[in-house]
Amino acid sequence: MSRSRHIPEAVRRRVEYFDGQTCEECGRPIDGEKLLRHLDHREAFSEGGEHAVFNLDPLCHECNQAKGAGDTARTEQMTARHERQDNDIRLYFQETDAKIVGNNQLRVPQEEGYVALRDYFAEERPTSLPAIVTLPTGCGKSGLIACAPFGIADGRVLVVAPNLTIKDGLTEGTLSGTGNFYHFCDILPESVRLPRVVALERGRVNEEDCRRADVIVTNVQQMQGWLPLFPSDFFDLIIVDEAHHAPADSWQNVNAAFPDAKKIYLTATPFRSDEKPIRAEPVYSYRLADAIAAGYVKNIVRVDAVASEMTFTVEGKEQSYTREEIMDLREETWFSRGVALSDVCNETIVDRSVQLLQAKNRRGTERHQILGAACSIRHAEQVAALYRGRGVEAAFVASEGMTEEERERRLRAYEHGDIDAMVHVGILGEGYDNKNISIAALFRPFRSVAPYTQFVGRALRALPNGNDTDNLAHVVAHAGLNQEAHWQYFKNETEEAQVLADLDAWAAAQNEETTAADDRKSSSEPRGSNDPAEVTREEIEGFDVDAYLPVEGEDAKEAKEHLQDVENALDALKEKGLDVPDADAFRQEIAALNQPLGDEELPPPPNRPARERHAYRKILDHAVRRAAGTILHRLDIPEGTDLVDVVGKGEEQSNIEVVIRMLNRRVNATVDCDDDTKGRNEWPLAVLKEAKANVSDVRDSVLADIAAATEYDDSTAPETSPERSREPDDSADEDWDDVEWGNPFNG
């Protein structure tokens, strides 16, 4: 018999298991050592049988030799039984009337994605590449996995997940159990059986379980040990979840083991995770912008702390960098790593995320939580301690370094709401679902866009019963971590972005060898690997804020209309001589509740006096800039009008500088501090708060004075466009706030 003498290790172990057992044909004891020399299969090797464990028979070496290429009565019965099982599975997926198309309980991307897959596999083509579907996190990828086999699979289905968390969720939550997706969405009536689902587990699942299963679920690492058990035609359809991993060797091993099976790749991340291309045919993609607009996921805002100056310490030597130098150096690995591992920068991220958490819990209707990503277990411990030091219950979990029981205990406490902030190391960045996560705090740099997108996705799951604040996620980081490019790819979500990423990766690979020596000699990189760079001081000048979709929208307009109703009601009471106590405070509270949680300044935790005073100085400066923007917007000054000669001091360089200086002088005067803004560094906290409270009144007086000085009546502003003639609102202020004014005192 002509055949390869190579016998896979799994097959050898199976023969060792047969050793000493009774031969199924003759009843003699099996000699495992002799059997390896005369090994054949149920389907004979000479007839195309494979070295697969599920193709082995417990026969002695003599019966193996005697059988040859033929079948015995027993093997004929076994083959017939297997064929009946395979046919039953084919009929189940092809003939079961699964209500998918036209099912209004399915989400749009689930139904449209299914139709695209069905049509793709229905077409005849010379070669059939895997079909790839891109759905944002939270849009129902698991539901599409449940639907996909019906009308597409002609046999058994293999679902491959990237990790145990996703595997367990698919097995116990989506495909089976009392809350299964089929009954929840009325895809299958109670009278029709559910798919038979088997989750691969060593020692708990045998060949018969697998042959009876319609769907087998596994994770990619676990599947490596099971591959030698299955013949290459055991599965007709393979569904790969989180397919951005697909180019990796472990995933390619699965593809190679079942070359003729149809393959479906699903991912929330249309980017590669290991710089290798995914060979697949894009058949359907649902944009994140559409998912946000449909309410399937939260809108998302990026908040990056921007430092005006940072001081690094390396081997006891200090080096300070300006904002411009920081923006240039952040692409250096040593720099972003130094930011990630420095307490000073971590405190900045912690403080901002705590501010947002407090605002969300105060203004929302649902519980909110923080999920942080750290570099290491030690780093995670330090970050969790920072949160606890600010009165926030926090813990950390890691993929190693702790028992599974302890990890599960902490996760249960987190999901129950006993823990407000969870910092993870390599375990929750993918496939972890907790809709109460609305703040993703980055304490580590991600080197590629795929893990960045996956981590951000943990905060995207919508809160169906929540308000606008509840369904606004924030990604908080430090500009020094150099995640801006990842955010832009994530935000733009275009094929062009991926092309650029491919070109960048190619160029980097071509240039790597020639620049490696120069990089090592770079004068900007600190020396000493045993004493890495650490940020010992930084001056935060503000936060760079960018929303995926505009925070202001129809909901905000409707909120303003309701606010106007309140104003009208208060005015009507006043006209009737009825005084409403604290009416102004009431108005301010309603306005604050109706304002989306976007880029407004939030007070820092009160347990850091110096930082709190420093933050309020920034808040005051920010309020003045917004007021200046409002003034210019309301005046709608004709093009060419120069305020410098009219109300300025003569040294200003622009109209905005004129207005900001006027505002600063008058705000200072309201608290009897007539010096310039540099003196605010020494102002007590109470004075800063008082000055901030006075900004709105000062704004109105400056507006009136400039209008009078220019003999310009804002009520007669030319109607150049509806945008320019409408009454200004918060979104107008936000537009001005987005402008990088810099320091108006430096020209």
Side-chain angles (χ1 to χ4, degrees), residues 303-306 336 339-357 370-373 379 383 386-387 390 439-445 455 474-483 538 540 543 605 608 611:
V303 181
D304 273 3
V306 180
S336 59
V339 169
L341 298 178
S342 297
D343 287 344
V344 171
C345 299
N346 288 339
E347 288 172 0
T348 298
I349 300 170
V350 166
D351 286 343
R352 189 60 172 179
S353 59
V354 170
Q355 293 164 15
L356 288 165
L357 179 69
I370 298 169
L371 179 65
H379 187 211
V383 171
L386 291 175
Y387 277 116
R390 287 150 179 79
I439 300 171
L442 275 69
F443 297 92
R444 53 152 294 177
F455 177 68
H474 285 79
V475 182
V476 184
H478 194 292
L481 291 175
N482 193 36
Q483 303 297 282
E538 68 174 349
I540 296 297
F543 291 86
R608 300 286 303 284
R611 188 176 286 270

Side-chain angles (χ1 to χ4, degrees), residues 92-164:
Y92 175 75
F93 285 127
Q94 289 295 324
E95 298 185 1
T96 297
D97 186 18
K99 185 180 179 183
I100 299 173
V101 179
N103 186 337
N104 59 14
Q105 295 198 51
L106 294 179
R107 292 181 169 181
V108 170
Q110 291 173 327
E111 180 179 350
E112 291 182 351
Y114 168 79
V115 171
L117 287 169
R118 185 194 61 187
D119 293 347
Y120 175 74
F121 287 110
E123 295 178 6
E124 292 188 5
R125 49 177 56 84
T127 59
S128 182
L129 288 172
I132 189 166
V133 173
T134 303
L135 299 185
T137 298
C139 286
K141 194 150 45 70
S142 297
L144 181 55
I145 289 173
C147 295
F150 291 95
I152 295 177
D154 286 304
R156 199 173 288 102
V157 178
L158 175 67
V159 178
V160 187
N163 55 49
L164 287 172

